[in-house]
Amino acid sequence: MGIAIVTGGSRGIGAAIARRLAQAGHDIVVNCASSIDKAEAVAAECRALGVRAAAMQWDVSDHAACEKALAEIKEKMGVPYILVNNAGITRDGLMVRMKEAQFDEVIRINLKGAFNMMQLTGAMMMRAKQGRIVNITSVSGLAGNAGQVNYCAAKAGMIGMTKTAAKELGARGITVNAVAPGWIDTEMTEKVPEDIREGAKKQIALGRFGKPEEIASAVAFLASDEATFITGQTLVVDGGLI
Ligand code: NDP
């Protein structure tokens, strides 16, 4: 068992991943951008499962902030064994109307944030000669989605980064994989208008949105000893959408 960092662990999918990895016996760092009270509540739930857990606020798109956070984690808890790049945002809009700032913000947080964390944590894992990285991408990055050119570019980019990092870190025994969720019930999808949500359900073979815990199970599998020879892969967990 080791230390697991879950970015964006204060709510939704990230919170479910933090709880699930704590259940598996890992110590947890619950990262968030601003909702530190929620992150602290998730950390408390993890501690109740018998592991060490800390809530920490930093912006994953800020390289220096990631460096500082990782130095603190190393000093107080140890070298991370698992990194889950889950932090993400949406700033939807049709491509021809999208503002430059909308595009840049999503790339900066969703794509560069994952790079920052993989680069810095990857270096620590390489020295330790062990580690598991799981990147939360999206079916949007595989199939495209009208209104999400920024998000789809970031999520497709994460898949390319996953494959590359798998090749660069494999020699040190580190696996790097991605999970691509379809529609999952969280605050992110609550914002989507009801007619679009209902239309989306008709496209899903299982006829419903997924639960955050259903993504957490896939992440826990990829981070477990059941998945020691799987690397560079993207596991789609979408109830049969694409
Ligand atoms: P939520 O909007 O519910 O939660 C987002 C999380 O990311 C929060 O913990 C938030 O922290 C954190 N976050 C946002 N920006 C930053 C930042 N700059 N630095 C650190 N943390 C940040 O999202 P979901 O749980 O729905 O989604 C989680 C991941 O899964 C995302 O990457 C998303 O793209 C992906 N995904 C979600 C799908 C869905 O249907 N919900 C489908 C496919 C993929 P805070 O609480 O402080 O704001």
Side-chain angles (χ1 to χ4, degrees), residues 3-11 13-19 21-22 27-32 42 54 56 58 60 82-87 117 136 219:
I3 295 149
I5 302 175
V6 183
T7 70
S10 52
R11 50 200 165 91
I13 293 171
I17 294 169
R19 285 185 214 105
L21 292 177
D27 294 329
I28 310 289
V29 175
V30 184
N31 154 262
C32 68
V42 175
M56 287 176 70
W58 79 89
V60 293
I82 299 170
L83 167 67
V84 184
N85 276 313
N86 165 81
M117 290 302 297
I136 308 301
V219 173

Side-chain angles (χ1 to χ4, degrees), residues 7-15 31-36 38-39 57-62 85-90 108-110 136-140 151 155 158 179-189 191 209 212 215:
T7 70
S10 52
R11 50 200 165 91
I13 293 171
N31 154 262
C32 68
S34 55
S35 45
I36 190 70
K38 286 188 185 168
Q57 186 176 346
W58 79 89
D59 177 356
V60 293
S61 72
D62 179 342
N85 276 313
N86 165 81
I89 61 161
T90 50
R108 188 169 53 76
I109 294 176
N110 296 11
I136 308 301
T137 172
S138 168
V139 290
S140 297
Y151 185 81
K155 293 300 190 184
M158 276 180 103
V179 171
W183 289 86
I184 308 299
D185 267 320
T186 68
E187 286 175 38
M188 184 179 272
T189 47
K191 295 188 289 202
F209 284 11
I215 302 304

Side-chain angles (χ1 to χ4, degrees), residues 194-204:
E194 197 51 36
D195 56 325
I196 296 181
R197 288 166 53 92
E198 282 312 308
K201 272 182 201 158
K202 295 197 179 86
Q203 313 279 312
I204 303 169

